[in-house]
Amino acid sequence: MTDTLDKPVLEDGGAPEGGAAPKRLFIKTYGCQMNVYDSERMADVLRPLGYAPTDTADGADFVILNTCHIREKAAEKVYSELGKLREMKERRAAAGQGGMTIAVAGCVAQAEGEEIMKRQPAVDLVVGPQAYHQLPELLTRTARARGERIGADFAPNEKFDALPATRGTEGVTAFLTVQEGCDKFCTFCVVPYTRGAEWSRPVAAVLDEARALADRGVREVTLLGQNVNAYDGEGPDGKPFTLARLAYALAEIPGLDRIRYTTSHPNDMSDDLIAAHGDLDALMPYLHLPVQAGSDRILRLMNRKHGRQKYFDLIDRIREARPDMAMAGDFIVGFPGETDRDFEDTMDLVRRVNYASAFSFMYSPRPGTPAATMAAQVPDAVAKERLHALQALLTEQQVAFNQSLAGRVLPVLFEKKGRHGAQAIGRSPYLQSVHVDDADQLIGRIVPVEIISGQQNSLSGRLIQTN
Ligand code: SAH
Ligand code: SF4
Ligand code: F3S
């Protein structure tokens, strides 16, 4: 799954639920969409204890940093944030305003454990990504004995069974985790160590959660998994169920009009899933299928277990099934041993695939992963130069794709109010934001919009006059 450039993607806000003076909960989320989902679920778990989300750490009774370990920068950000929180906590105590509990959750918690408490004593508890359903219990225990860490074991089934059936979701789009973990062990990546082995939620549990979301007004659901297309859940008859079959079942739910999924691995892109893109209208024509590099030699060193030709063949077949499929990807430049020639293979692959959007990163050595100790680490300056060249090409492709939609009429799902007047912001089938004037009465609806222009990160459109 793609992380969002190490930026915090969610500062949890929302309306407190009735009752007397709620305790204030602030969750800051780093990393990928799965962390966004997990943060929402942490708020769900804590709601019965009287915690209501607030949008600032200042004055919060409980602060959770839901962290990402994917690159060094992502992990280091957590420690600088913890430094600020410590000062806040001390100020609050000195002013007699009560305590502030600080928790570190997510992938840094899983990877670094007690180390976090050593480096930052202001931290009260550390909870891994498969253990946050135990937060209520942990909180009471923390009051007695600070310094405990929990969540080293991977038991996603127990977590999902223990999470409340109701989600506090507001809005018309939602994430829904259907698969967790990774067995692929790409040589650069920490995810198999922070999220554990591949595991799929049973079909019935996914459908129940999706129905409850649809009942709350959700029209578009994004199925999440570190390898979501490896989904292999237990079906109603006890037999395995693929992601394609899950998509068909979800499409039957009244009100649920759009289905997306992320992130997919090329080796798990099965025939039935490709075929589903051809005949299931609810399946949106946007596919995030990271390849990481375009050189066969580097793909081998990365342990990706496929070559560039297999990727090209896959994309041909996907585009045969769904000719307007917008492709997205992730790239790493400066992987150990990457030569100018290897990098040129990546540029060539990008030119041939033509991406609608992509994330690209400089390789960051992660402790404990095989690539971190490989010979021939690429100097930063070289990697930086390659990153700039790649990003320029990807931006060019993204802008061209967005501009190519001008003049087209696209169904847009309106999600929220825009910044100006009655403007509303929605999403196209290809996942771009679409800004439309005088449309705020349409939030929650899917409406045809004429695209006027495409910018780098969004589209502008107008409602079609229907007299
Ligand atoms: N399961 C997803 C990846 C999750 S991590 C998948 O296989 O596509 C999100 C992205 O971060 C990866 O696709 C990769 O491009 C990038 N990434 C992972 N480890 C990295 C590292 N050590 N240095 C730089 N980028 C990395
Ligand atoms: Fe990481 Fe590779 Fe697994 Fe993706 S497939 S999570 S990049 S190990
Ligand atoms: Fe980061 Fe963990 Fe997601 S390392 S990208 S938060 S799975």
Side-chain angles (χ1 to χ4, degrees), residues 3-58:
D3 85 329
T4 6
L5 305 170
D6 306 337
K7 289 201 187 79
V9 283
L10 177 105
E11 303 200 351
D12 208 28
E17 272 184 8
K23 288 173 270 185
R24 284 153 299 182
L25 166 69
F26 176 66
I27 307 181
K28 188 161 182 170
T29 309
Y30 301 84
C32 63
Q33 292 98 325
M34 197 173 286
N35 266 8
V36 176
Y37 175 87
D38 289 343
S39 291
E40 211 190 293
R41 300 302 267 146
M42 286 187 229
D44 290 340
V45 166
L46 292 166
R47 194 169 296 115
L49 274 74
Y51 283 96
T54 168
D55 54 10
T56 160
D58 214 354

CSV table of all heavy atoms in Angstrom, one decimal, residues 3-58:
chain,number,residue,atom,x,y,z
A,3,ASP,N,2.2,4.8,0.8
A,3,ASP,CA,2.1,5.8,1.9
A,3,ASP,C,2.1,7.1,1.3
A,3,ASP,O,2.4,7.3,0.1
A,3,ASP,CB,3.2,5.6,2.9
A,3,ASP,CG,4.5,6.4,2.5
A,3,ASP,OD1,4.7,6.5,1.3
A,3,ASP,OD2,5.2,6.8,3.4
A,4,THR,N,1.6,8.1,2.0
A,4,THR,CA,1.4,9.4,1.4
A,4,THR,C,2.6,10.3,1.7
A,4,THR,O,2.4,11.3,2.4
A,4,THR,CB,0.1,10.0,1.9
A,4,THR,OG1,-0.4,9.1,2.9
A,4,THR,CG2,-1.0,10.1,0.9
A,5,LEU,N,3.7,10.0,1.2
A,5,LEU,CA,4.9,10.8,1.3
A,5,LEU,C,5.3,11.3,2.7
A,5,LEU,O,5.7,12.4,2.9
A,5,LEU,CB,4.7,12.1,0.4
A,5,LEU,CG,4.3,11.8,-1.0
A,5,LEU,CD1,3.9,13.0,-1.7
A,5,LEU,CD2,5.4,11.2,-1.8
A,6,ASP,N,5.1,10.4,3.6
A,6,ASP,CA,5.5,10.6,5.0
A,6,ASP,C,4.8,11.8,5.7
A,6,ASP,O,5.1,12.2,6.8
A,6,ASP,CB,7.0,10.9,5.1
A,6,ASP,CG,7.8,9.8,4.5
A,6,ASP,OD1,7.3,8.7,4.4
A,6,ASP,OD2,9.0,10.1,4.2
A,7,LYS,N,3.8,12.3,5.0
A,7,LYS,CA,3.1,13.5,5.7
A,7,LYS,C,2.0,12.9,6.5
A,7,LYS,O,1.4,11.9,6.2
A,7,LYS,CB,2.5,14.4,4.6
A,7,LYS,CG,3.5,15.1,3.8
A,7,LYS,CD,2.8,16.3,3.2
A,7,LYS,CE,3.8,17.0,2.2
A,7,LYS,NZ,3.9,16.3,0.9
A,8,PRO,N,1.7,13.6,7.6
A,8,PRO,CA,0.6,13.1,8.4
A,8,PRO,C,-0.7,13.3,7.5
A,8,PRO,O,-0.9,14.3,6.9
A,8,PRO,CB,0.5,14.1,9.6
A,8,PRO,CG,1.4,15.2,9.3
A,8,PRO,CD,2.4,14.7,8.3
A,9,VAL,N,-1.5,12.2,7.4
A,9,VAL,CA,-2.6,12.3,6.4
A,9,VAL,C,-3.9,12.6,7.1
A,9,VAL,O,-4.9,12.9,6.5
A,9,VAL,CB,-2.7,11.0,5.6
A,9,VAL,CG1,-1.6,11.0,4.5
A,9,VAL,CG2,-2.6,9.8,6.5
A,10,LEU,N,-3.9,12.4,8.4
A,10,LEU,CA,-5.2,12.6,9.1
A,10,LEU,C,-4.9,13.1,10.5
A,10,LEU,O,-4.2,12.6,11.2
A,10,LEU,CB,-5.9,11.3,9.2
A,10,LEU,CG,-7.2,11.3,10.0
A,10,LEU,CD1,-8.3,11.2,9.0
A,10,LEU,CD2,-7.3,10.1,10.9
A,11,GLU,N,-5.5,14.2,10.8
A,11,GLU,CA,-5.5,14.7,12.2
A,11,GLU,C,-7.0,14.5,12.6
A,11,GLU,O,-7.8,15.3,12.3
A,11,GLU,CB,-5.0,16.1,12.3
A,11,GLU,CG,-3.6,16.1,11.6
A,11,GLU,CD,-2.8,17.3,12.0
A,11,GLU,OE1,-3.3,18.2,12.7
A,11,GLU,OE2,-1.6,17.3,11.7
A,12,ASP,N,-7.2,13.5,13.4
A,12,ASP,CA,-8.5,13.0,13.6
A,12,ASP,C,-9.4,14.1,14.3
A,12,ASP,O,-9.1,14.6,15.3
A,12,ASP,CB,-8.5,11.8,14.5
A,12,ASP,CG,-9.7,10.9,14.2
A,12,ASP,OD1,-10.2,10.9,13.1
A,12,ASP,OD2,-10.0,10.2,15.1
A,13,GLY,N,-10.5,14.4,13.6
A,13,GLY,CA,-11.4,15.3,14.2
A,13,GLY,C,-12.8,14.7,14.2
A,13,GLY,O,-13.0,13.6,13.8
A,14,GLY,N,-13.8,15.4,14.7
A,14,GLY,CA,-15.1,14.9,14.6
A,14,GLY,C,-15.9,15.3,15.8
A,14,GLY,O,-15.4,15.8,16.8
A,15,ALA,N,-17.2,15.0,15.7
A,15,ALA,CA,-18.1,15.5,16.8
A,15,ALA,C,-18.1,14.5,18.0
A,15,ALA,O,-18.1,13.3,17.8
A,15,ALA,CB,-19.5,15.6,16.3
A,16,PRO,N,-18.0,15.1,19.2
A,16,PRO,CA,-18.1,14.2,20.3
A,16,PRO,C,-19.5,13.6,20.4
A,16,PRO,O,-20.5,14.2,20.0
A,16,PRO,CB,-17.9,15.1,21.5
A,16,PRO,CG,-17.7,16.5,21.0
A,16,PRO,CD,-17.9,16.5,19.5
A,17,GLU,N,-19.6,12.4,21.0
A,17,GLU,CA,-20.9,11.7,21.2
A,17,GLU,C,-21.4,12.2,22.5
A,17,GLU,O,-20.7,12.3,23.5
A,17,GLU,CB,-20.7,10.2,21.1
A,17,GLU,CG,-20.9,9.7,19.7
A,17,GLU,CD,-20.8,8.2,19.7
A,17,GLU,OE1,-20.9,7.5,20.7
A,17,GLU,OE2,-20.8,7.6,18.6
A,18,GLY,N,-22.7,12.4,22.6
A,18,GLY,CA,-23.4,12.9,23.9
A,18,GLY,C,-22.7,12.6,25.2
A,18,GLY,O,-21.6,12.2,25.2
A,19,GLY,N,-23.4,12.8,26.3
A,19,GLY,CA,-22.8,12.5,27.6
A,19,GLY,C,-22.0,13.7,28.2
A,19,GLY,O,-21.9,14.7,27.5
A,20,ALA,N,-21.5,13.5,29.4
A,20,ALA,CA,-20.8,14.6,30.1
A,20,ALA,C,-19.4,14.7,29.6
A,20,ALA,O,-18.8,13.8,29.0
A,20,ALA,CB,-20.8,14.3,31.6
A,21,ALA,N,-18.9,16.0,29.8
A,21,ALA,CA,-17.6,16.4,29.4
A,21,ALA,C,-16.7,15.3,28.8
A,21,ALA,O,-16.1,14.5,29.6
A,21,ALA,CB,-16.9,17.1,30.6
A,22,PRO,N,-16.6,15.1,27.5
A,22,PRO,CA,-15.8,14.0,27.0
A,22,PRO,C,-14.3,14.2,27.2
A,22,PRO,O,-13.9,15.4,27.4
A,22,PRO,CB,-16.1,14.0,25.5
A,22,PRO,CG,-16.6,15.4,25.2
A,22,PRO,CD,-17.1,16.0,26.5
A,23,LYS,N,-13.6,13.1,27.3
A,23,LYS,CA,-12.1,13.3,27.4
A,23,LYS,C,-11.7,13.5,25.9
A,23,LYS,O,-12.3,12.9,25.0
A,23,LYS,CB,-11.5,12.0,28.0
A,23,LYS,CG,-11.8,11.9,29.4
A,23,LYS,CD,-11.3,10.5,30.0
A,23,LYS,CE,-12.5,9.5,29.9
A,23,LYS,NZ,-12.2,8.2,30.5
A,24,ARG,N,-10.6,14.3,25.8
A,24,ARG,CA,-10.2,14.6,24.4
A,24,ARG,C,-9.2,13.7,23.9
A,24,ARG,O,-8.1,13.5,24.5
A,24,ARG,CB,-9.8,16.1,24.4
A,24,ARG,CG,-11.0,17.0,24.4
A,24,ARG,CD,-10.6,18.4,25.0
A,24,ARG,NE,-10.2,18.2,26.4
A,24,ARG,CZ,-9.8,19.2,27.1
A,24,ARG,NH1,-9.8,20.5,26.7
A,24,ARG,NH2,-9.4,19.0,28.4
A,25,LEU,N,-9.4,13.2,22.7
A,25,LEU,CA,-8.5,12.3,22.0
A,25,LEU,C,-7.9,12.9,20.8
A,25,LEU,O,-8.7,13.3,19.9
A,25,LEU,CB,-9.3,11.0,21.7
A,25,LEU,CG,-8.6,10.0,20.7
A,25,LEU,CD1,-7.4,9.3,21.4
A,25,LEU,CD2,-9.6,8.9,20.2
A,26,PHE,N,-6.6,12.9,20.7
A,26,PHE,CA,-6.0,13.4,19.4
A,26,PHE,C,-5.2,12.3,18.8
A,26,PHE,O,-4.3,11.8,19.4
A,26,PHE,CB,-5.1,14.7,19.7
A,26,PHE,CG,-4.4,15.2,18.5
A,26,PHE,CD1,-5.1,15.7,17.4
A,26,PHE,CD2,-3.0,15.1,18.4
A,26,PHE,CE1,-4.4,16.1,16.3
A,26,PHE,CE2,-2.3,15.5,17.3
A,26,PHE,CZ,-3.1,16.1,16.2
A,27,ILE,N,-5.5,12.0,17.6
A,27,ILE,CA,-4.7,11.0,16.9
A,27,ILE,C,-4.1,11.6,15.7
A,27,ILE,O,-4.7,12.2,14.8
A,27,ILE,CB,-5.6,9.8,16.4
A,27,ILE,CG1,-6.5,9.2,17.5
A,27,ILE,CG2,-4.8,8.7,15.7
A,27,ILE,CD1,-7.4,8.1,17.1
A,28,LYS,N,-2.8,11.5,15.6
A,28,LYS,CA,-2.0,12.0,14.4
A,28,LYS,C,-1.6,10.8,13.6
A,28,LYS,O,-0.9,9.9,14.1
A,28,LYS,CB,-0.9,12.8,14.9
A,28,LYS,CG,-0.2,13.5,13.7
A,28,LYS,CD,0.7,14.7,14.2
A,28,LYS,CE,1.3,15.5,13.1
A,28,LYS,NZ,1.9,16.7,13.5
A,29,THR,N,-1.9,10.8,12.3
A,29,THR,CA,-1.7,9.6,11.5
A,29,THR,C,-0.6,9.9,10.5
A,29,THR,O,-0.6,10.8,9.7
A,29,THR,CB,-3.0,9.2,10.8
A,29,THR,OG1,-4.0,9.1,11.7
A,29,THR,CG2,-2.8,7.9,10.1
A,30,TYR,N,0.4,9.0,10.4
A,30,TYR,CA,1.4,9.0,9.4
A,30,TYR,C,1.3,7.8,8.5
A,30,TYR,O,0.7,6.8,8.9
A,30,TYR,CB,2.8,9.0,10.0
A,30,TYR,CG,3.1,10.1,11.0
A,30,TYR,CD1,2.7,10.0,12.3
A,30,TYR,CD2,3.8,11.2,10.6
A,30,TYR,CE1,2.9,11.0,13.2
A,30,TYR,CE2,4.1,12.2,11.5
A,30,TYR,CZ,3.6,12.1,12.8
A,30,TYR,OH,3.9,13.1,13.7
A,31,GLY,N,1.9,7.8,7.3
A,31,GLY,CA,2.0,6.6,6.5
A,31,GLY,C,0.9,6.4,5.6
A,31,GLY,O,0.3,7.3,5.0
A,32,CYS,N,0.5,5.1,5.5
A,32,CYS,CA,-0.4,4.7,4.4
A,32,CYS,C,-1.9,4.7,4.8
A,32,CYS,O,-2.2,5.0,5.9
A,32,CYS,CB,0.0,3.3,4.0
A,32,CYS,SG,-0.2,2.0,5.3
A,33,GLN,N,-2.7,4.4,3.8
A,33,GLN,CA,-4.2,4.4,4.0
A,33,GLN,C,-4.6,3.4,5.1
A,33,GLN,O,-5.6,3.6,5.8
A,33,GLN,CB,-4.9,4.0,2.8
A,33,GLN,CG,-4.8,5.1,1.7
A,33,GLN,CD,-3.7,4.7,0.7
A,33,GLN,OE1,-2.7,4.1,1.0
A,33,GLN,NE2,-4.0,5.0,-0.6
A,34,MET,N,-3.8,2.3,5.3
A,34,MET,CA,-4.2,1.4,6.4
A,34,MET,C,-4.1,2.1,7.7
A,34,MET,O,-4.8,1.8,8.6
A,34,MET,CB,-3.4,0.1,6.3
A,34,MET,CG,-4.1,-1.0,7.1
A,34,MET,SD,-3.4,-2.6,7.0
A,34,MET,CE,-3.9,-3.0,5.3
A,35,ASN,N,-3.1,2.9,7.9
A,35,ASN,CA,-3.0,3.6,9.1
A,35,ASN,C,-4.2,4.6,9.3
A,35,ASN,O,-4.6,4.8,10.4
A,35,ASN,CB,-1.7,4.4,9.2
A,35,ASN,CG,-0.6,3.6,9.9
A,35,ASN,OD1,-0.8,2.4,10.2
A,35,ASN,ND2,0.6,4.3,10.2
A,36,VAL,N,-4.7,5.2,8.2
A,36,VAL,CA,-5.8,6.0,8.3
A,36,VAL,C,-7.0,5.2,8.8
A,36,VAL,O,-7.7,5.6,9.7
A,36,VAL,CB,-6.2,6.7,6.9
A,36,VAL,CG1,-7.4,7.5,7.0
A,36,VAL,CG2,-5.0,7.5,6.5
A,37,TYR,N,-7.2,4.0,8.3
A,37,TYR,CA,-8.2,3.1,8.7
A,37,TYR,C,-8.1,2.8,10.2
A,37,TYR,O,-9.0,2.9,11.0
A,37,TYR,CB,-8.2,1.9,7.8
A,37,TYR,CG,-9.2,0.8,8.3
A,37,TYR,CD1,-10.5,0.8,7.8
A,37,TYR,CD2,-8.8,-0.2,9.2
A,37,TYR,CE1,-11.4,-0.2,8.3
A,37,TYR,CE2,-9.7,-1.2,9.6
A,37,TYR,CZ,-11.0,-1.2,9.1
A,37,TYR,OH,-11.9,-2.1,9.6
A,38,ASP,N,-6.8,2.4,10.5
A,38,ASP,CA,-6.6,2.0,11.9
A,38,ASP,C,-6.8,3.2,12.9
A,38,ASP,O,-7.4,2.9,14.0
A,38,ASP,CB,-5.1,1.6,12.1
A,38,ASP,CG,-4.8,0.2,11.4
A,38,ASP,OD1,-5.8,-0.5,11.1
A,38,ASP,OD2,-3.7,-0.1,11.2
A,39,SER,N,-6.5,4.4,12.5
A,39,SER,CA,-6.7,5.5,13.4
A,39,SER,C,-8.2,5.7,13.6
A,39,SER,O,-8.7,6.0,14.8
A,39,SER,CB,-6.2,6.8,12.8
A,39,SER,OG,-4.8,6.8,12.8
A,40,GLU,N,-9.0,5.5,12.6
A,40,GLU,CA,-10.4,5.6,12.7
A,40,GLU,C,-11.0,4.6,13.7
A,40,GLU,O,-11.8,4.8,14.5
A,40,GLU,CB,-11.1,5.5,11.3
A,40,GLU,CG,-12.3,6.2,11.1
A,40,GLU,CD,-13.0,5.8,9.8
A,40,GLU,OE1,-12.5,6.1,8.7
A,40,GLU,OE2,-14.1,5.3,9.9
A,41,ARG,N,-10.4,3.4,13.5
A,41,ARG,CA,-10.9,2.3,14.4
A,41,ARG,C,-10.4,2.5,15.8
A,41,ARG,O,-11.1,2.0,16.8
A,41,ARG,CB,-10.4,0.9,13.8
A,41,ARG,CG,-10.9,0.6,12.4
A,41,ARG,CD,-12.4,0.6,12.3
A,41,ARG,NE,-12.9,-0.7,12.5
A,41,ARG,CZ,-14.1,-0.9,13.1
A,41,ARG,NH1,-14.8,0.0,13.5
A,41,ARG,NH2,-14.6,-2.1,13.2
A,42,MET,N,-9.3,3.1,16.0
A,42,MET,CA,-8.8,3.4,17.4
A,42,MET,C,-9.8,4.3,18.1
A,42,MET,O,-10.2,4.2,19.3
A,42,MET,CB,-7.4,4.0,17.4
A,42,MET,CG,-6.3,3.0,17.1
A,42,MET,SD,-4.7,3.7,17.4
A,42,MET,CE,-3.9,3.3,15.9
A,43,ALA,N,-10.2,5.3,17.3
A,43,ALA,CA,-11.2,6.3,17.9
A,43,ALA,C,-12.5,5.5,18.2
A,43,ALA,O,-13.2,5.8,19.2
A,43,ALA,CB,-11.5,7.4,16.9
A,44,ASP,N,-12.9,4.5,17.3
A,44,ASP,CA,-14.1,3.7,17.6
A,44,ASP,C,-14.0,2.9,18.9
A,44,ASP,O,-14.9,2.8,19.7
A,44,ASP,CB,-14.3,2.7,16.5
A,44,ASP,CG,-14.8,3.4,15.2
A,44,ASP,OD1,-15.3,4.6,15.2
A,44,ASP,OD2,-14.7,2.8,14.1
A,45,VAL,N,-12.8,2.4,19.1
A,45,VAL,CA,-12.5,1.6,20.3
A,45,VAL,C,-12.6,2.4,21.6
A,45,VAL,O,-13.0,2.0,22.6
A,45,VAL,CB,-11.1,0.9,20.2
A,45,VAL,CG1,-10.7,0.3,21.5
A,45,VAL,CG2,-11.1,-0.2,19.1
A,46,LEU,N,-12.2,3.7,21.5
A,46,LEU,CA,-12.1,4.5,22.7
A,46,LEU,C,-13.3,5.3,22.9
A,46,LEU,O,-13.5,5.8,24.0
A,46,LEU,CB,-10.9,5.5,22.5
A,46,LEU,CG,-9.5,4.7,22.5
A,46,LEU,CD1,-8.4,5.6,22.0
A,46,LEU,CD2,-9.2,4.2,24.0
A,47,ARG,N,-14.2,5.4,21.9
A,47,ARG,CA,-15.4,6.2,22.1
A,47,ARG,C,-16.3,5.7,23.3
A,47,ARG,O,-16.7,6.5,24.1
A,47,ARG,CB,-16.3,6.1,20.8
A,47,ARG,CG,-17.4,7.1,20.8
A,47,ARG,CD,-18.0,7.3,19.4
A,47,ARG,NE,-17.1,7.8,18.4
A,47,ARG,CZ,-16.7,7.1,17.4
A,47,ARG,NH1,-17.1,5.8,17.1
A,47,ARG,NH2,-15.8,7.6,16.5
A,48,PRO,N,-16.5,4.4,23.5
A,48,PRO,CA,-17.2,4.0,24.7
A,48,PRO,C,-16.6,4.4,26.0
A,48,PRO,O,-17.3,4.4,27.0
A,48,PRO,CB,-17.3,2.4,24.5
A,48,PRO,CG,-16.9,2.1,23.1
A,48,PRO,CD,-16.0,3.3,22.7
A,49,LEU,N,-15.3,4.7,26.0
A,49,LEU,CA,-14.7,5.1,27.3
A,49,LEU,C,-14.8,6.6,27.5
A,49,LEU,O,-14.3,7.2,28.4
A,49,LEU,CB,-13.2,4.8,27.2
A,49,LEU,CG,-12.8,3.4,27.7
A,49,LEU,CD1,-13.1,2.3,26.6
A,49,LEU,CD2,-11.2,3.4,27.9
A,50,GLY,N,-15.5,7.3,26.6
A,50,GLY,CA,-15.8,8.7,26.8
A,50,GLY,C,-14.8,9.6,26.0
A,50,GLY,O,-14.8,10.8,26.3
A,51,TYR,N,-14.0,9.0,25.1
A,51,TYR,CA,-13.1,9.8,24.4
A,51,TYR,C,-13.7,10.3,23.1
A,51,TYR,O,-14.3,9.5,22.3
A,51,TYR,CB,-11.8,9.0,24.0
A,51,TYR,CG,-10.9,8.8,25.2
A,51,TYR,CD1,-10.9,7.7,26.0
A,51,TYR,CD2,-10.0,9.8,25.5
A,51,TYR,CE1,-10.1,7.5,27.0
A,51,TYR,CE2,-9.1,9.7,26.6
A,51,TYR,CZ,-9.2,8.5,27.4
A,51,TYR,OH,-8.3,8.4,28.4
A,52,ALA,N,-13.6,11.6,22.9
A,52,ALA,CA,-14.1,12.2,21.7
A,52,ALA,C,-13.0,12.9,20.9
A,52,ALA,O,-12.1,13.5,21.6
A,52,ALA,CB,-15.2,13.3,22.0
A,53,PRO,N,-12.9,12.7,19.6
A,53,PRO,CA,-11.8,13.2,18.9
A,53,PRO,C,-11.7,14.8,18.9
A,53,PRO,O,-12.7,15.4,18.9
A,53,PRO,CB,-12.1,12.8,17.4
A,53,PRO,CG,-13.0,11.7,17.6
A,53,PRO,CD,-13.8,12.0,18.8
A,54,THR,N,-10.5,15.2,19.0
A,54,THR,CA,-10.2,16.7,18.9
A,54,THR,C,-9.2,16.9,17.8
A,54,THR,O,-8.5,15.9,17.4
A,54,THR,CB,-9.8,17.3,20.2
A,54,THR,OG1,-9.3,18.6,20.0
A,54,THR,CG2,-8.7,16.4,20.9
A,55,ASP,N,-9.0,18.1,17.3
A,55,ASP,CA,-8.1,18.2,16.1
A,55,ASP,C,-6.8,18.9,16.5
A,55,ASP,O,-6.1,19.3,15.6
A,55,ASP,CB,-8.8,19.0,15.0
A,55,ASP,CG,-9.4,20.3,15.4
A,55,ASP,OD1,-9.1,20.7,16.5
A,55,ASP,OD2,-10.1,20.9,14.6
A,56,THR,N,-6.5,18.9,17.8
A,56,THR,CA,-5.2,19.4,18.2
A,56,THR,C,-4.7,18.7,19.4
A,56,THR,O,-5.5,18.3,20.3
A,56,THR,CB,-5.2,21.0,18.4
A,56,THR,OG1,-4.1,21.3,19.2
A,56,THR,CG2,-6.4,21.4,19.1
A,57,ALA,N,-3.4,18.6,19.5
A,57,ALA,CA,-2.8,17.9,20.7
A,57,ALA,C,-2.9,18.8,21.9
A,57,ALA,O,-2.9,18.3,23.0
A,57,ALA,CB,-1.3,17.6,20.4
A,58,ASP,N,-2.9,20.1,21.7
A,58,ASP,CA,-3.0,21.0,22.8
A,58,ASP,C,-4.3,20.8,23.6
A,58,ASP,O,-5.3,21.0,23.0
A,58,ASP,CB,-2.9,22.5,22.2
A,58,ASP,CG,-2.2,23.4,23.2
A,58,ASP,OD1,-1.8,22.9,24.3
A,58,ASP,OD2,-1.9,24.5,22.8
